[in-house]
Amino acid sequence: GLLAYFVFAVLLAPILEELTFRKLLLDRLRVIDKPSALIFSALAFALFHGNLVQVFYAFGAGLVLGAVYLRCGRVGVTMLLHILINLLGGFVTVLLLRFVDVENLMATPLPTLLLSVYSLAMIAAAIAGVVFLIRERGLFRVGDGNDRLAAGDRFALPFLRPGFILYFFAALAAMVMAYV
């Protein structure tokens, strides 16, 4: 039901995911190398979602949420952002779709119009967000020059560990099984 979706997808999932991928994983890896830790945690976050559709935007969201976390150091901020993303990206859409007759759009003109306007607003917000990220990319620099590893070793450390390799293939298997 709608209440269960709200509690689990909008509240609990963002809180638990931020604790796992930002607070635990990113905190542990950032002492070695912040840029690599950010990419690694975003990839782990994306793979955790378990389907190919979500992997791409979850990776982007993981990069942004991770950069915000590295910048401010407060997981509560990323939890609130993540809750907002899930609320606007999922819950509101599901709520609006409950009132739209997808097979006969003209049968429900007002909800269809609201869903269309909302969809256009979300697309405009996404474009504005990308423009903002490009224009203000300096705000999201995470390397501080104090990284302890040589450039060639930075990505090898987290990505070539047996645990991550196993996690990567398990996530790929889950995605394949979701489509079979």
Side-chain angles (χ1 to χ4, degrees):
L2 215 49
L3 180 61
Y5 180 83
F6 181 81
V7 169
F8 288 104
V10 176
L11 297 177
L12 290 179
I15 290 169
L16 295 175
E17 288 173 355
E18 291 307 309
L19 287 173
T20 302
F21 295 103
R22 257 52 82 190
K23 186 67 181 155
L24 295 176
L25 187 60
L26 195 52
D27 265 357
R28 287 208 167 89
L29 290 174
R30 77 192 227 174
V31 297
I32 299 166
D33 173 64
K34 287 180 185 174
S36 299
L38 177 62
I39 292 169
F40 180 82
S41 69
L43 180 61
F45 175 69
L47 292 172
F48 177 76
H49 284 82
N51 67 64
L52 195 56
V53 173
Q54 286 184 308
V55 163
F56 297 105
Y57 75 80
F59 180 72
L63 287 174
V64 171
L65 291 167
V68 168
Y69 178 70
L70 288 174
R71 190 82 165 157
C72 73
R74 296 178 57 209
V75 75
V77 172
T78 59
M79 284 179 186
L80 289 175
L81 287 172
H82 196 153
I83 286 169
L84 186 64
I85 290 168
N86 285 11
L87 176 71
L88 295 176
F91 184 75
V92 172
T93 305
V94 168
L95 185 63
L96 288 172
L97 280 171
R98 286 186 165 233
F99 300 104
V100 173
D101 182 359
V102 180
E103 306 222 347
N104 183 8
L105 294 175
M106 296 313 289
T108 54
L110 183 59
T112 301
L113 179 64
L114 288 174
L115 182 62
S116 301
V117 169
Y118 180 75
S119 299
L120 289 173
M122 292 300 289
I123 292 168
I127 292 169
V130 169
V131 169
F132 172 79
L133 288 174
I134 291 169
R135 288 189 64 212
E136 304 297 330
R137 61 189 169 276
L139 290 174
F140 294 94
R141 289 193 203 284
V142 293
D144 56 10
N146 296 325
D147 299 321
R148 299 186 336 201
L149 295 176
D153 296 332
R154 289 180 182 167
F155 288 98
L157 185 70
F159 290 106
L160 298 180
R161 305 295 266 183
F164 181 74
I165 292 170
L166 182 63
Y167 176 77
F168 180 79
F169 284 113
L172 285 180
M175 281 186 242
V176 168
M177 289 187 328
Y179 292 102
V180 174

